[in-house]
Amino acid sequence: MASHLDGPPVLSTSDNNLLEDGEQYKDIIARMSYLSDGEIYEVYEIERTVQEIREGQWRRIALQFPDDMLVDAPRVMTALDQDLRREGSGLRVKKEEQAANVLVNHISTCESQTHAVGSERRLYILADTSYGACCVDEIAAEHVYADVVVHYGRACLSPTSRLPVIHVFTNRAISMDIVEQAFKSTFPDRTEKVILMADVMYAKTVSELERRLRQHGYTCIFPTSTIHDPSSPLPNRSIPEDVQDDATCLSKYHLFHISEPPASFLLTLASRVASVHVFPSDGLPPESLTTAVQASTSSALRRRYALIISLSTVSIFGILVNTLSVKNYLDIVERVKRKIAAAGKKSYTFVMGKLNAAKLANFSEVGGWVVIGCWESSLVESKDLWRPVITPFELDLALKRNEERIWTGQWGSDFNQLLRDSEALADVGTTATENDAKDSQNTSNDTPGHDLDSEPESDPPEFDLRSGRYVSQSRPMRNLTISDDPARLGHTSDALIRRSNGALASIGGQVSPGAEFLRSQRTWKGLCSDIEIAYDSQEVSGAFVEQGRSGIARGYRIDDDGDRR
């Protein structure tokens, strides 16, 4: 017999334990920041940040840190707050002294007033991001009504839609002698065209590396600088002059990259330049880095193309909105919806934060996912995912028929570039579509024996290149027949309409692949799913509703007497 609990179980501990027992937090204390005060000011660029905040006259500032920099967040906020107060106090006192010779008590009064003005600025630490750490979290910043976001660490530099941003890349140091030696070993030919690039946290090393290499006779090297343009041929980087006139000239250049780039960045670069050589900054001892490693993306590109082929016969797509901050994200969502609908397929839209297999597995009727996010985090690859996740660029290829699909090896993840390409083709495409529609209408009307009431023929089955089978319902929305029966369209009863045998499930007179999947393939369909559906002509009485348990897990209330178990 179970004994009665005299107190809360182990899972419910007192809040005082956080202060009394510190043994379990020794690991966290050991990982505390090792940077000195001077290094905090240098690495986190306190002086520049304070200057931009004062120039922008912002009062509510949100500080966004990645997980590995949260240990420095309190010290960074304290340094910013002190400098904002100190700088404002100095300017105020100087202005008062220039106006007249004031007494000491008058100066102290001004300083106290200045302190009150400086205290109007409020700094907030964003300890957890709604989406990827590389993106500016405007949603969390708006919770505190922030005027500006200071983003620390590496960033995708995607344009934001609402708030201004101050980017602090937290510049990191690296041994230039080792980098220079690795470059010489990788490119012994001093006349070869090479682009110098580095991660944003090592961006300052590019100019120093160029200076050293030119002293050793390298004449065809181009140092990149950081710009805010993910749609550039080199995302967020400047490009050579000949590439500005002709983007295909980029294929003549080799690329030397300091620090390992993200997977999406690497795929984009590898599909545009002759070769990519990466000098890793972490994980290897400096003495072992005698040469840069040539990046191989051929297997990754083949894997992405295989995913595209596997989704060519999918009838239901899920649109994953993985950002609410990147500019024009609503425009690309609408474009993806139109593309899927034009291909005769069905789409459902989901807004999700950080993706994982458990979230996506809840929607088993979805055959493939299209992620709408920043260009760096759009490449989602995991063996745990139930269905593949592709980008809008890959979706355009997946929706084409097998005879129309051409794989050029190019790859991109910036959806703003797709929007610009669509706008460029809009005028030409609109005129051609209107002419084709008129010709099609004239041809159909002139066809002998044409019957306006006849139903359109269904599309032929599509051949799945991966499974080797024909799929008959890959485009279920292509030839929709919406009922014109006013009794059906205007029917507001909760009872369902009986389907004919073999017909797809419909909602409001329109075919619904999701409802068809629920009817034919889902084994569990909700509470009371074992009771037969009652139509208008039948009468079925349901079960009585009984009051269940109430309370919390530590002590449910079982009956009216309030007994807990």
Side-chain angles (χ1 to χ4, degrees):
M1 182 176 180
S3 61
H4 180 70
L5 291 176
D6 297 330
V10 179
L11 293 177
S12 178
T13 58
S14 173
D15 295 339
N16 296 330
N17 290 0
L18 296 175
L19 302 177
E20 295 173 356
D21 186 11
E23 294 295 329
Q24 54 182 329
Y25 304 107
K26 284 186 176 180
D27 294 339
I28 299 178
I29 297 175
R31 295 196 300 267
M32 292 292 287
S33 174
Y34 58 88
L35 297 178
S36 64
D37 292 341
E39 291 172 332
I40 287 289
Y41 270 79
E42 181 180 355
V43 172
Y44 290 94
E45 302 183 44
I46 302 298
E47 184 177 353
R48 178 178 70 87
T49 306
V50 169
Q51 180 181 357
E52 293 195 23
I53 291 175
R54 295 188 60 83
E55 291 176 355
Q57 298 181 358
W58 295 304
R59 292 297 176 185
R60 304 178 72 89
I61 302 100
L63 310 178
Q64 179 179 340
F65 293 85
D67 293 342
D68 58 333
M69 296 183 184
L70 281 177
V71 293
D72 296 329
R75 299 177 61 194
V76 172
M77 186 182 71
T78 301
L80 288 175
D81 184 63
Q82 291 177 351
D83 276 28
L84 286 170
R85 294 173 182 273
R86 184 184 306 116
E87 195 167 332
S89 177
L91 291 175
R92 184 63 177 268
V93 172
K94 183 177 181 181
K95 186 179 296 183
E96 294 291 341
E97 290 180 346
Q98 291 177 351
N101 294 325
V102 294
L103 298 176
V104 176
N105 58 354
H106 182 62
I107 295 177
S108 61
T109 303
C110 294
E111 288 180 346
S112 62
Q113 293 176 354
T114 304
H115 181 79
V117 174
S119 63
E120 293 179 3
R121 284 195 176 91
R122 291 184 176 271
L123 303 176
Y124 301 88
I125 296 177
L126 306 182
D128 188 19
T129 56
S130 303
Y131 300 99
C134 64
C135 300
V136 177
D137 194 352
E138 288 186 319
I139 303 302
E142 288 182 345
H143 288 170
V144 296
Y145 305 100
D147 302 323
V148 64
V149 179
V150 183
H151 184 278
Y152 293 97
R154 72 173 324 279
C156 59
L157 299 179
S158 298
T160 56
S161 55
R162 290 178 292 274
L163 294 178
V165 185
I166 300 175
H167 284 285
V168 179
F169 299 132
T170 60
N171 300 315
R172 299 184 181 179
I174 194 171
S175 175
M176 293 305 302
D177 294 334
I178 299 177
V179 175
E180 179 184 350
Q181 183 61 37
F183 184 92
K184 292 178 181 179
S185 302
T186 306
F187 301 102
D189 186 2
R190 300 184 180 182
T191 61
E192 201 163 17
K193 291 185 175 182
V194 182
I195 295 176
L196 303 179
M197 184 183 296
D199 194 87
V200 290
M201 295 185 293
Y202 299 93
K204 291 186 177 181
T205 62
V206 173
S207 58
E208 174 64 18
L209 179 60
E210 181 212 7
R211 184 187 65 80
R212 294 190 176 205
L213 293 176
R214 291 196 182 277
Q215 291 178 352
H216 290 84
Y218 286 90
T219 58
C220 297
I221 56 178
F222 176 78
T224 60
S225 57
T226 303
I227 60 176
H228 291 241
D229 185 13
S231 301
S232 172
L234 297 175
N236 293 324
R237 301 297 189 277
S238 57
I239 56 177
E241 294 184 0
D242 55 341
V243 178
Q244 297 178 5
D245 300 330
D246 185 6
T248 58
C249 295
L250 194 60
S251 60
K252 302 177 182 178
Y253 286 85
H254 300 272
L255 192 142
F256 182 83
H257 195 280
I258 301 176
S259 184
E260 188 171 356
S264 60
F265 197 11
L266 185 60
L267 277 180
T268 303
L269 295 175
S271 64
R272 298 177 182 179
V273 298
S275 64
V276 179
H277 298 265
V278 178
F279 180 83
S281 58
D282 299 322
L284 295 175
E287 57 272 10
S288 65
L289 300 177
T290 57
T291 183
V293 179
Q294 184 172 0
S296 176
T297 59
S298 57
S299 59
L301 286 175
R302 289 196 299 267
R303 185 166 58 252
R304 300 307 300 180
Y305 186 62
L307 291 179
I308 294 174
I309 296 299
S310 66
L311 296 179
S312 60
T313 56
V314 166
S315 59
I316 303 176
F317 279 95
I319 303 175
L320 285 174
V321 181
N322 194 230
T323 180
L324 297 177
S325 303
V326 179
K327 189 176 182 181
N328 299 326
Y329 78 94
L330 290 177
D331 296 335
I332 192 63
V333 170
E334 293 300 323
R335 180 187 183 274
V336 169
K337 287 181 179 179
R338 292 194 301 268
K339 284 280 186 178
I340 295 176
K345 301 175 184 290
K346 182 66 176 179
S347 65
Y348 297 95
T349 305
F350 304 83
V351 179
M352 285 191 185
K354 297 176 182 178
L355 306 181
N356 58 53
K359 290 180 182 179
L360 302 185
N362 288 326
F363 309 97
S364 54
E365 60 267 33
V366 175
W369 300 93
V370 184
V371 61
I372 307 297
C374 81
W375 66 276
E376 275 197 8
S377 60
S378 295
L379 182 61
V380 181
E381 289 187 326
S382 176
K383 295 180 180 179
D384 298 331
L385 295 179
W386 174 246
R387 298 298 186 189
V389 181
I390 61 175
T391 65
F393 170 80
E394 295 169 333
L395 176 69
D396 289 352
L397 294 174
L399 294 179
K400 295 180 179 179
R401 295 187 180 274
N402 295 333
E403 60 272 11
E404 301 173 351
R405 189 182 303 111
I406 299 177
W407 178 252
T408 61
Q410 295 294 319
W411 194 86
S413 58
D414 179 37
F415 62 73
N416 283 299
Q417 184 62 41
L418 292 178
L419 293 175
R420 278 191 285 269
D421 295 342
S422 300
E423 292 175 358
L425 298 175
D427 297 335
V428 178
T430 301
T431 304
T433 302
E434 291 177 353
N435 294 335
D436 293 342
K438 292 179 180 178
D439 295 341
S440 177
Q441 183 177 4
N442 295 333
T443 303
S444 62
N445 292 336
D446 296 340
T447 302
H450 176 72
D451 188 0
L452 296 176
D453 296 331
S454 61
E455 295 183 359
E457 295 183 359
S458 60
D459 288 340
E462 270 190 81
F463 184 72
D464 192 340
L465 295 176
R466 297 201 69 186
S467 63
R469 299 177 180 178
Y470 283 97
V471 181
S472 59
Q473 294 292 341
S474 62
R475 302 174 187 267
M477 313 299 289
R478 175 57 62 90
N479 294 322
L480 289 181
T481 303
I482 302 178
S483 175
D484 294 331
D485 185 4
R488 174 173 292 189
L489 293 179
H491 192 67
T492 58
S493 173
D494 293 335
L496 301 179
I497 301 174
R498 187 186 296 274
R499 289 177 288 99
S500 59
N501 294 332
L504 295 177
S506 61
I507 298 179
Q510 187 175 12
V511 173
S512 174
E516 175 63 22
F517 184 92
L518 174 65
R519 179 188 68 84
S520 59
Q521 299 188 41
R522 274 195 182 272
T523 56
W524 190 82
K525 304 175 183 179
L527 297 176
C528 300
S529 59
D530 54 339
I531 299 178
E532 293 292 334
I533 298 176
Y535 293 93
D536 290 338
S537 59
Q538 301 175 0
E539 293 183 1
V540 178
S541 60
F544 290 102
V545 177
E546 298 181 1
Q547 184 175 357
R549 294 183 296 179
S550 62
I552 60 177
R554 191 172 60 183
Y556 286 113
R557 290 181 176 86
I558 304 300
D559 48 30
D560 296 337
D561 296 335
D563 294 339
R564 292 189 177 185
R565 297 179 186 177

PDB file of all heavy atoms in Angstrom, residues 425-440:
ATOM      1  N   LEU A 425      10.507  38.441 -65.186  1.00  0.00           N
ATOM      2  CA  LEU A 425       9.804  37.666 -66.203  1.00  0.00           C
ATOM      3  C   LEU A 425       8.299  37.909 -66.205  1.00  0.00           C
ATOM      4  O   LEU A 425       7.588  37.344 -67.031  1.00  0.00           O
ATOM      5  CB  LEU A 425      10.060  36.172 -65.998  1.00  0.00           C
ATOM      6  CG  LEU A 425      11.513  35.708 -66.114  1.00  0.00           C
ATOM      7  CD1 LEU A 425      11.616  34.241 -65.763  1.00  0.00           C
ATOM      8  CD2 LEU A 425      12.058  35.966 -67.514  1.00  0.00           C
ATOM      9  N   ALA A 426       7.829  38.743 -65.289  1.00  0.00           N
ATOM     10  CA  ALA A 426       6.382  38.925 -65.147  1.00  0.00           C
ATOM     11  C   ALA A 426       5.771  39.551 -66.395  1.00  0.00           C
ATOM     12  O   ALA A 426       4.737  39.095 -66.897  1.00  0.00           O
ATOM     13  CB  ALA A 426       6.073  39.771 -63.917  1.00  0.00           C
ATOM     14  N   ASP A 427       6.398  40.606 -66.898  1.00  0.00           N
ATOM     15  CA  ASP A 427       5.817  41.312 -68.047  1.00  0.00           C
ATOM     16  C   ASP A 427       5.773  40.426 -69.283  1.00  0.00           C
ATOM     17  O   ASP A 427       4.760  40.329 -69.978  1.00  0.00           O
ATOM     18  CB  ASP A 427       6.624  42.584 -68.342  1.00  0.00           C
ATOM     19  CG  ASP A 427       6.561  43.559 -67.188  1.00  0.00           C
ATOM     20  OD1 ASP A 427       5.579  43.492 -66.423  1.00  0.00           O
ATOM     21  OD2 ASP A 427       7.489  44.370 -67.054  1.00  0.00           O
ATOM     22  N   VAL A 428       6.885  39.730 -69.558  1.00  0.00           N
ATOM     23  CA  VAL A 428       6.924  38.854 -70.727  1.00  0.00           C
ATOM     24  C   VAL A 428       5.969  37.682 -70.549  1.00  0.00           C
ATOM     25  O   VAL A 428       5.234  37.302 -71.469  1.00  0.00           O
ATOM     26  CB  VAL A 428       8.360  38.351 -70.960  1.00  0.00           C
ATOM     27  CG1 VAL A 428       8.409  37.403 -72.150  1.00  0.00           C
ATOM     28  CG2 VAL A 428       9.297  39.532 -71.172  1.00  0.00           C
ATOM     29  N   GLY A 429       5.948  37.116 -69.329  1.00  0.00           N
ATOM     30  CA  GLY A 429       5.095  35.967 -69.081  1.00  0.00           C
ATOM     31  C   GLY A 429       3.623  36.298 -69.132  1.00  0.00           C
ATOM     32  O   GLY A 429       2.807  35.491 -69.582  1.00  0.00           O
ATOM     33  N   THR A 430       3.248  37.497 -68.699  1.00  0.00           N
ATOM     34  CA  THR A 430       1.836  37.880 -68.718  1.00  0.00           C
ATOM     35  C   THR A 430       1.312  37.979 -70.137  1.00  0.00           C
ATOM     36  O   THR A 430       0.233  37.490 -70.469  1.00  0.00           O
ATOM     37  CB  THR A 430       1.658  39.220 -67.991  1.00  0.00           C
ATOM     38  OG1 THR A 430       2.130  39.082 -66.647  1.00  0.00           O
ATOM     39  CG2 THR A 430       0.200  39.637 -67.991  1.00  0.00           C
ATOM     40  N   THR A 431       2.094  38.593 -71.017  1.00  0.00           N
ATOM     41  CA  THR A 431       1.664  38.727 -72.410  1.00  0.00           C
ATOM     42  C   THR A 431       1.545  37.366 -73.087  1.00  0.00           C
ATOM     43  O   THR A 431       0.573  37.085 -73.796  1.00  0.00           O
ATOM     44  CB  THR A 431       2.668  39.610 -73.176  1.00  0.00           C
ATOM     45  OG1 THR A 431       2.789  40.860 -72.496  1.00  0.00           O
ATOM     46  CG2 THR A 431       2.207  39.833 -74.596  1.00  0.00           C
ATOM     47  N   ALA A 432       2.526  36.502 -72.853  1.00  0.00           N
ATOM     48  CA  ALA A 432       2.482  35.184 -73.487  1.00  0.00           C
ATOM     49  C   ALA A 432       1.324  34.355 -72.960  1.00  0.00           C
ATOM     50  O   ALA A 432       0.659  33.640 -73.710  1.00  0.00           O
ATOM     51  CB  ALA A 432       3.807  34.450 -73.245  1.00  0.00           C
ATOM     52  N   THR A 433       1.044  34.459 -71.661  1.00  0.00           N
ATOM     53  CA  THR A 433      -0.051  33.686 -71.077  1.00  0.00           C
ATOM     54  C   THR A 433      -1.396  34.136 -71.623  1.00  0.00           C
ATOM     55  O   THR A 433      -2.279  33.317 -71.908  1.00  0.00           O
ATOM     56  CB  THR A 433      -0.031  33.822 -69.553  1.00  0.00           C
ATOM     57  OG1 THR A 433       1.239  33.382 -69.066  1.00  0.00           O
ATOM     58  CG2 THR A 433      -1.118  32.986 -68.921  1.00  0.00           C
ATOM     59  N   GLU A 434      -1.580  35.437 -71.770  1.00  0.00           N
ATOM     60  CA  GLU A 434      -2.848  35.939 -72.300  1.00  0.00           C
ATOM     61  C   GLU A 434      -3.069  35.462 -73.731  1.00  0.00           C
ATOM     62  O   GLU A 434      -4.177  35.067 -74.115  1.00  0.00           O
ATOM     63  CB  GLU A 434      -2.856  37.463 -72.237  1.00  0.00           C
ATOM     64  CG  GLU A 434      -2.924  38.001 -70.803  1.00  0.00           C
ATOM     65  CD  GLU A 434      -2.850  39.508 -70.780  1.00  0.00           C
ATOM     66  OE1 GLU A 434      -2.606  40.094 -71.863  1.00  0.00           O
ATOM     67  OE2 GLU A 434      -3.023  40.096 -69.695  1.00  0.00           O
ATOM     68  N   ASN A 435      -2.023  35.482 -74.555  1.00  0.00           N
ATOM     69  CA  ASN A 435      -2.157  35.020 -75.944  1.00  0.00           C
ATOM     70  C   ASN A 435      -2.463  33.526 -75.990  1.00  0.00           C
ATOM     71  O   ASN A 435      -3.300  33.075 -76.788  1.00  0.00           O
ATOM     72  CB  ASN A 435      -0.880  35.327 -76.721  1.00  0.00           C
ATOM     73  CG  ASN A 435      -0.660  36.825 -76.872  1.00  0.00           C
ATOM     74  OD1 ASN A 435      -1.609  37.613 -76.837  1.00  0.00           O
ATOM     75  ND2 ASN A 435       0.594  37.237 -77.042  1.00  0.00           N
ATOM     76  N   ASP A 436      -1.771  32.747 -75.132  1.00  0.00           N
ATOM     77  CA  ASP A 436      -2.028  31.306 -75.112  1.00  0.00           C
ATOM     78  C   ASP A 436      -3.451  31.008 -74.659  1.00  0.00           C
ATOM     79  O   ASP A 436      -4.104  30.099 -75.166  1.00  0.00           O
ATOM     80  CB  ASP A 436      -1.030  30.606 -74.185  1.00  0.00           C
ATOM     81  CG  ASP A 436       0.380  30.675 -74.733  1.00  0.00           C
ATOM     82  OD1 ASP A 436       0.521  30.952 -75.941  1.00  0.00           O
ATOM     83  OD2 ASP A 436       1.337  30.462 -73.951  1.00  0.00           O
ATOM     84  N   ALA A 437      -3.937  31.772 -73.698  1.00  0.00           N
ATOM     85  CA  ALA A 437      -5.300  31.549 -73.197  1.00  0.00           C
ATOM     86  C   ALA A 437      -6.329  31.841 -74.284  1.00  0.00           C
ATOM     87  O   ALA A 437      -7.320  31.123 -74.437  1.00  0.00           O
ATOM     88  CB  ALA A 437      -5.546  32.416 -71.969  1.00  0.00           C
ATOM     89  N   LYS A 438      -6.123  32.919 -75.050  1.00  0.00           N
ATOM     90  CA  LYS A 438      -7.058  33.243 -76.127  1.00  0.00           C
ATOM     91  C   LYS A 438      -7.055  32.160 -77.202  1.00  0.00           C
ATOM     92  O   LYS A 438      -8.096  31.744 -77.690  1.00  0.00           O
ATOM     93  CB  LYS A 438      -6.694  34.595 -76.732  1.00  0.00           C
ATOM     94  CG  LYS A 438      -6.924  35.768 -75.782  1.00  0.00           C
ATOM     95  CD  LYS A 438      -6.527  37.075 -76.438  1.00  0.00           C
ATOM     96  CE  LYS A 438      -6.752  38.251 -75.488  1.00  0.00           C
ATOM     97  NZ  LYS A 438      -6.329  39.533 -76.110  1.00  0.00           N
ATOM     98  N   ASP A 439      -5.848  31.705 -77.582  1.00  0.00           N
ATOM     99  CA  ASP A 439      -5.759  30.660 -78.602  1.00  0.00           C
ATOM    100  C   ASP A 439      -6.415  29.374 -78.118  1.00  0.00           C
ATOM    101  O   ASP A 439      -7.108  28.694 -78.873  1.00  0.00           O
ATOM    102  CB  ASP A 439      -4.293  30.400 -78.956  1.00  0.00           C
ATOM    103  CG  ASP A 439      -3.658  31.616 -79.612  1.00  0.00           C
ATOM    104  OD1 ASP A 439      -4.419  32.488 -80.105  1.00  0.00           O
ATOM    105  OD2 ASP A 439      -2.415  31.711 -79.606  1.00  0.00           O
ATOM    106  N   SER A 440      -6.203  29.044 -76.843  1.00  0.00           N
ATOM    107  CA  SER A 440      -6.795  27.827 -76.297  1.00  0.00           C
ATOM    108  C   SER A 440      -8.311  27.917 -76.261  1.00  0.00           C
ATOM    109  O   SER A 440      -9.010  26.946 -76.560  1.00  0.00           O
ATOM    110  CB  SER A 440      -6.241  27.574 -74.895  1.00  0.00           C
ATOM    111  OG  SER A 440      -6.842  26.456 -74.322  1.00  0.00           O
TER     112      SER A 440
END
